[in-house]
Amino acid sequence: MASALRAQRRGLVAWEASPEKTARVNTHTTYLTFNTEKRQEIIDITEEVEKCRAAAGIKEGMVLVSAMHISASVFVNDHEPGLWKDILDWLEKRIAPWSPDDYRHNSGTGEDNAAAHLRSLTVGHEVIVPVTRGKLDFGPWQRVFYGEWDGQRPKRVLIKAMGE
Amino acid sequence: MASALRAQRRGLVAWEASPEKTARVNTHTTYLTFNTEKRQEIIDITEEVEKCRAAAGIKEGMVLVSAMHISASVFVNDHEPGLWKDILDWLEKRIAPWSPDDYRHNSGTGEDNAAAHLRSLTVGHEVIVPVTRGKLDFGPWQRVFYGEWDGQRPKRVLIKAMGE
Amino acid sequence: MASALRAQRRGLVAWEASPEKTARVNTHTTYLTFNTEKRQEIIDITEEVEKCRAAAGIKEGMVLVSAMHISASVFVNDHEPGLWKDILDWLEKRIAPWSPDDYRHNSGTGEDNAAAHLRSLTVGHEVIVPVTRGKLDFGPWQRVFYGEWDGQRPKRVLIKAMGE
């Protein structure tokens, strides 16, 4: 288990790895910790996914990328800042407005983030990235994103590569 | 193949298992059958997922949890009853109102559940749970749920653990 | 790598396969290319998923089905044309209206398809189909669909079977 602080990626404050090489299938697990400046942010983590694949030495298989919190998402879409703003607006205006008073979850629990849970349900909390011939097998515009819907505190993302 | 009735879990009426140990990767498949009292319900099935992992004897790998019906969901979120009610309200008011007369699916097919299909599409019908060092590799609040959007009849969920 | 034009499936213009048999786990990857007549279409691809499974010779495992574009979806639901129309209407009226002027993504990028991205996020871009005893382990009504949200040009879908 190695742990290192990295400053390269906005909001990324920790990087741990857990290689579990077995006799039959290679596995490598990486845990990223994000602590975002804004409460909602969208962060491209494709490079981190590729690093986990490379660490596992996998040529055929897949990489699971999964938020470890229930008020965040992992999704595949476009590296286009205008679209990221569209996504944040759309979640707020159309899918699940923040309005804390409208939700039961926000009374009695000390929470005000019910909307973040509903956004996580809509966009999803995980993706599976296929690996073929030693590469993330993506179409031309596909990138992996961490969607933070209730940040400004440490939140983790698991990346697990499995294959041969 | 073993089959047993269990009374412990609300709505759970059958539990079947299909261990398929192969030479190289361990696999274990469990089928749960739910027959819910209400037409819409959210049920925590994390224990059943862990039992399938343990039955497969997997330390590294993953567990696929997948609804076998197209009017239900499987998702990862919070064990908080207030939130479960928020989710049911949100699906009805914002995502896909039941209103049977508004959908083509409900005319000619004898069905009135088009909204349940749309809710399944929004929330998703499956999740992949990572397994690391012999445990479901979850963050502190993550639990697996079966979301029944059109119940009061037997509906199945597949759990398949794969790894070593 | 084999490539063939097939006329059997509406909108399907190419079919490539990449068998990567390894010593331990069988893998087979198929790439479908769709060029739909309409800009939005829903196409049943269950047969193609089963063909990939059979080509991999997998009895236990899973099949990943993943859109390679960020304005399309892959999902599991019902083979019922009335419902497909309901889904297209629901995406337009309730989830993400096309209205190009409402999105930042559509200014400066030469694109008008921001809504197609949001629909892809909502419905998801991939599914994992379990394989048990040599069959896609589906419930009675489950089928796999390609959801084209911005077509009339070549778009690819990856199918990767993994197991034994």
Side-chain angles (χ1 to χ4, degrees):
Chain A
M1 164 93 53
S3 178
L5 284 171
R6 280 161 38 102
Q8 298 96 309
R9 173 76 60 206
R10 191 186 69 201
L12 182 62
V13 295
W15 173 297
E16 296 163 79
S18 166
E20 303 284 341
K21 298 242 174 185
T22 61
R24 293 168 288 189
V25 172
N26 287 351
T27 308
H28 187 95
T29 311
T30 301
Y31 304 90
L32 310 177
T33 304
F34 289 94
N35 194 343
T36 57
E37 208 175 298
K38 295 181 194 163
R39 197 152 185 193
Q40 279 99 37
E41 280 194 34
I42 289 173
I43 298 168
D44 190 325
I45 59 173
T46 314
E47 253 182 61
E48 285 75 12
V49 176
E50 163 57 19
K51 278 178 188 165
C52 182
R53 184 211 61 76
I58 284 173
K59 296 196 170 171
E60 270 293 313
M62 57 178 218
V63 188
L64 171 64
V65 189
S66 187
M68 299 184 81
H69 291 259
I70 52 195
S71 53
S73 287
V74 169
F75 60 92
V76 167
N77 219 279
D78 195 356
H79 191 98
E80 203 281 287
L83 182 69
W84 304 340
K85 286 183 193 151
D86 286 334
I87 292 170
L88 295 176
D89 277 2
W90 168 74
L91 290 171
E92 175 60 32
K93 288 182 194 156
R94 187 166 284 269
I95 297 300
W98 194 261
S99 9
D101 296 344
D102 291 357
Y103 304 103
R104 288 182 189 82
H105 178 57
N106 296 336
S107 61
T109 61
E111 303 275 7
D112 75 336
N113 68 353
H117 292 266
L118 302 176
R119 295 170 189 193
S120 174
L121 286 184
T122 307
V123 177
H125 79 290
E126 72 190 1
V127 299
I128 298 272
V129 182
V131 174
T132 310
R133 298 176 183 184
K135 291 190 178 166
L136 304 182
D137 200 348
F138 269 150
W141 304 104
Q142 288 185 302
R143 307 278 297 175
V144 188
F145 293 92
Y146 175 59
E148 176 60 87
W149 313 139
D150 183 24
Q152 298 174 323
R153 54 191 173 115
K155 305 265 293 265
R156 296 214 298 165
V157 175
L158 172 151
I159 309 175
K160 187 183 279 283
M162 291 175 279
E164 313 189 36
Chain B
M1 164 93 50
S3 179
L5 282 170
R6 281 162 38 102
Q8 298 99 306
R9 174 78 60 208
R10 190 186 69 201
L12 182 61
V13 294
W15 172 297
E16 297 163 77
S18 166
E20 303 283 342
K21 299 243 172 182
T22 61
R24 294 167 288 189
V25 172
N26 287 351
T27 308
H28 187 93
T29 310
T30 301
Y31 304 90
L32 310 176
T33 305
F34 289 94
N35 193 342
T36 58
E37 208 175 298
K38 294 181 196 164
R39 197 153 184 192
Q40 279 101 36
E41 280 194 34
I42 289 173
I43 299 167
D44 189 326
I45 58 172
T46 314
E47 252 182 64
E48 284 75 12
V49 176
E50 164 56 18
K51 278 179 188 164
C52 183
R53 184 211 61 75
I58 284 173
K59 295 195 170 173
E60 271 293 314
M62 57 180 217
V63 187
L64 171 64
V65 189
S66 188
M68 299 184 81
H69 291 260
I70 51 193
S71 52
S73 287
V74 169
F75 60 92
V76 167
N77 219 280
D78 196 355
H79 192 98
E80 203 280 285
L83 183 69
W84 305 339
K85 285 183 194 151
D86 287 333
I87 292 170
L88 295 177
D89 277 0
W90 168 73
L91 290 171
E92 175 60 31
K93 288 183 193 154
R94 189 165 284 268
I95 297 299
W98 194 262
S99 9
D101 296 343
D102 292 357
Y103 304 103
R104 287 184 188 83
H105 178 57
N106 296 335
S107 61
T109 60
E111 303 275 5
D112 76 336
N113 68 353
H117 292 266
L118 302 177
R119 293 169 190 195
S120 174
L121 287 184
T122 305
V123 177
H125 80 289
E126 74 190 359
V127 298
I128 298 274
V129 182
V131 175
T132 310
R133 298 175 182 184
K135 289 188 180 170
L136 303 183
D137 200 347
F138 268 150
W141 304 105
Q142 289 185 302
R143 306 278 297 175
V144 188
F145 294 91
Y146 175 59
E148 177 59 87
W149 313 139
D150 182 25
Q152 298 174 323
R153 55 192 173 115
K155 305 265 293 263
R156 297 214 298 165
V157 175
L158 172 151
I159 309 176
K160 187 184 279 283
M162 290 174 280
E164 312 190 33
Chain C
M1 165 91 54
S3 180
L5 284 171
R6 279 163 39 101
Q8 298 97 307
R9 175 76 60 207
R10 190 186 69 202
L12 182 61
V13 295
W15 174 297
E16 297 163 79
S18 165
E20 304 282 341
K21 298 242 173 184
T22 61
R24 294 168 288 187
V25 173
N26 287 352
T27 308
H28 187 94
T29 310
T30 300
Y31 303 90
L32 310 177
T33 304
F34 289 94
N35 194 342
T36 57
E37 208 176 299
K38 294 181 195 164
R39 197 154 183 190
Q40 279 100 36
E41 279 193 35
I42 290 173
I43 298 168
D44 189 326
I45 58 172
T46 314
E47 252 182 64
E48 285 75 12
V49 176
E50 164 56 19
K51 279 179 187 163
C52 182
R53 185 212 59 76
I58 284 172
K59 294 195 171 173
E60 269 294 311
M62 56 179 217
V63 188
L64 170 64
V65 189
S66 188
M68 300 184 80
H69 290 259
I70 52 195
S71 52
S73 287
V74 170
F75 60 93
V76 167
N77 219 280
D78 196 356
H79 192 98
E80 202 283 286
L83 183 69
W84 305 339
K85 285 184 194 151
D86 286 334
I87 293 170
L88 295 176
D89 276 1
W90 168 73
L91 290 171
E92 174 61 30
K93 288 182 192 154
R94 187 165 285 267
I95 297 300
W98 194 261
S99 10
D101 296 343
D102 292 356
Y103 304 103
R104 288 182 189 84
H105 178 56
N106 296 336
S107 61
T109 60
E111 303 275 5
D112 76 336
N113 68 352
H117 293 266
L118 302 176
R119 295 170 190 195
S120 174
L121 287 183
T122 306
V123 177
H125 80 288
E126 74 191 356
V127 298
I128 298 274
V129 182
V131 175
T132 310
R133 300 177 180 183
K135 288 189 179 167
L136 303 181
D137 200 349
F138 269 149
W141 303 105
Q142 290 185 300
R143 306 279 298 177
V144 189
F145 294 91
Y146 175 59
E148 177 59 86
W149 314 138
D150 182 24
Q152 297 174 322
R153 55 193 172 113
K155 305 266 291 264
R156 296 214 299 164
V157 175
L158 172 151
I159 308 176
K160 186 184 281 282
M162 290 175 279
E164 311 190 34

